[in-house]
Amino acid sequence: MTRHFLVDTDLTQAEQAEVLDLADALKKDRWKYQPYAGEGSGRQTVAVIFDKTSTRTRISFAAGISDLGGVPLIIGAGESQLGHKESISDTAKVMERMVSTIVWRTYAQSGLEEMAANSSVPVINALSDDYHPCQLLADLMTIREHKGTLAGLTLTYLGDCANNMANSYLLAGVTAGMHVRVAGPVGYLPDPAIVDAAAARAEETGGSVMITTDAAEALASADVVATDTWVSMGQEDEKAARQELFRDYAVDSAAMAQAAQDAVVLHCLPAYRGYEISADVIDGPQSVVWEEAENRLHAQKALMVWLMARSGLTGIPEEA
Ligand code: CP
Ligand code: NVA
């Protein structure tokens, strides 16, 4: 059965740990696995499609696919027939015959689901309106490097709790057995369906979920503090209103004083200093954002190796 990665909960707790172990191994030995080379999958090309702009995701996938012996085929918005002249399902049926994996940054989660339903090669969500699961693999890898473990830690996310990063922090965090707290203003809290899914996964892993409008309640003794832009891609028209709306949920030195003394700070980037995070915090000693950005490379390579193996397209790596 082909394995896809469309949402954080597509991996169980044990599978998520396998991917993170593989990521650690690939960080130590960049060339350890070559699933896309020579006798690997038999198809060297990996399609990477962007309907929205990107720096980290684009570069980390391009570099990572090369490291894995593959050739990245980057397709920018409007450069293919996809979405305007041709359906998603027809596009998938063409691509699955030519490429090893399909990576797609897009708007609607339903588009990714349609692509996956019509593809015999793995489909990876490189960010949708609803989730950013590849980012969370990098974030969890970074937390584990600093804290030695994930299960039992408290992760607090402040700001726009109705966006893709908040949803992925909830789902990936509880999958790892973490206590995930999110705090934002009324009207910008997570969809109840996401909260239910996170609570159900937390039941299995020993994690927990807290949804609140009280930043102080969420921050108390947190081990990890995270935030994201208040203005996600596609919301540019709401910029002024949003910069006002989330003001009480900024990650600044006053917020950090309420977290654990050794708390680390995450931000998926790009960051807007003086809005969701202050310059002294993101550029200060508790920030691990540059390692977090680098870990996109290692975590996504691990994910690609793992999906290829678990889809029966290549051999199983020793860490899995
Ligand atoms: N964090 C992240 O996904 O960055 P890009 O939008 O630059 O890819
Ligand atoms: N929430 C942000 C994440 C960017 C990586 C957005 O969707 O624009």
Side-chain angles (χ1 to χ4, degrees):
M1 191 189 74
T2 307
R3 295 294 301 262
H4 305 287
F5 190 54
L6 309 185
V7 53
D8 307 84
T9 42
D10 282 345
L11 297 178
T12 65
Q13 183 176 26
E15 290 173 341
Q16 185 191 67
E18 284 180 2
V19 172
L20 296 178
D21 289 347
L22 259 170
D24 288 345
L26 281 162
K27 191 168 183 172
K28 285 196 197 91
D29 179 0
R30 188 174 176 144
W31 311 104
K32 186 163 182 174
Y33 296 109
Q34 304 267 296
Y36 298 133
E39 291 172 16
S41 66
R43 291 185 210 147
Q44 223 181 343
T45 303
V46 175
V48 192
I49 310 166
F50 287 97
D51 296 344
K52 297 179 179 178
T53 53
S54 167
T55 295
R56 276 145 293 274
T57 306
R58 180 184 174 122
I59 295 168
S60 56
F61 269 109
I65 290 161
S66 304
D67 288 358
L68 298 179
V71 176
L73 172 64
I74 311 277
I75 304 168
E79 287 177 5
S80 74
Q81 321 288 22
L82 174 62
H84 51 115
K85 286 190 182 164
E86 193 163 25
S87 69
I88 295 167
S89 56
D90 284 2
T91 306
K93 287 172 194 159
V94 172
M95 284 200 293
E96 66 165 2
R97 291 161 183 262
M98 300 183 193
V99 304
S100 273
T101 301
I102 299 165
V103 180
W104 190 15
R105 168 169 287 195
T106 188
Y107 293 87
Q109 187 70 14
S110 57
L112 282 153
E113 286 161 8
E114 188 178 343
M115 185 77 85
N118 289 281
S119 170
S120 56
V121 299
V123 175
I124 296 175
N125 179 357
L127 181 149
S128 66
D129 289 344
D130 293 348
Y131 309 107
H132 197 359
C134 290
Q135 179 69 51
L136 257 289
L137 290 176
D139 285 28
L140 294 178
M141 179 181 180
T142 310
I143 297 165
R144 215 170 65 155
E145 287 176 331
H146 282 268
K147 301 287 179 190
T149 185
L150 294 172
L153 293 180
T154 297
L155 183 154
T156 296
Y157 170 92
L158 298 187
D160 182 2
C161 297
N163 77 4
N164 42 18
M165 283 301 297
N167 292 341
S168 280
Y169 274 120
L170 278 167
L171 296 175
V174 297
T175 295
M178 300 175 89
H179 304 295
V180 185
R181 304 172 181 168
V182 305
V186 173
Y188 296 86
L189 294 173
D191 188 315
I194 307 263
V195 180
D196 289 348
R201 180 55 67 91
E203 283 270 307
E204 297 166 18
T205 64
S208 67
V209 174
M210 178 200 283
I211 314 292
T212 179
T213 55
D214 183 348
E217 184 188 18
L219 281 164
S221 304
D223 300 298
V224 181
V225 178
T227 189
D228 181 25
T229 180
W230 293 339
V231 189
S232 285
M233 289 179 271
Q235 298 173 337
E236 289 79 6
D237 291 351
E238 302 166 34
K239 187 172 171 181
R242 284 177 160 270
Q243 285 176 345
E244 192 54 31
L245 193 63
F246 295 108
R247 223 162 21 124
D248 294 339
Y249 300 91
V251 174
D252 53 17
S253 52
M256 290 310 298
Q258 300 169 64
Q261 263 192 336
D262 61 351
V264 293
V265 175
L266 297 173
H267 190 310
C268 67
L269 307 174
Y272 301 87
R273 287 170 176 77
Y275 293 96
E276 76 273 7
I277 193 160
S278 60
D280 61 330
V281 170
I282 195 169
D283 300 319
Q286 289 174 282
S287 169
V288 293
V289 301
W290 308 117
E291 290 160 78
E292 180 188 2
E294 178 191 329
N295 286 340
R296 293 292 303 278
L297 172 71
H298 311 300
Q300 287 158 193
K301 284 171 67 182
L303 176 70
M304 290 187 277
V305 169
W306 192 92
L307 289 173
M308 289 296 286
R310 293 297 179 202
S311 299
L313 298 168
T314 57
I316 309 280
E318 66 192 69
E319 285 83 2

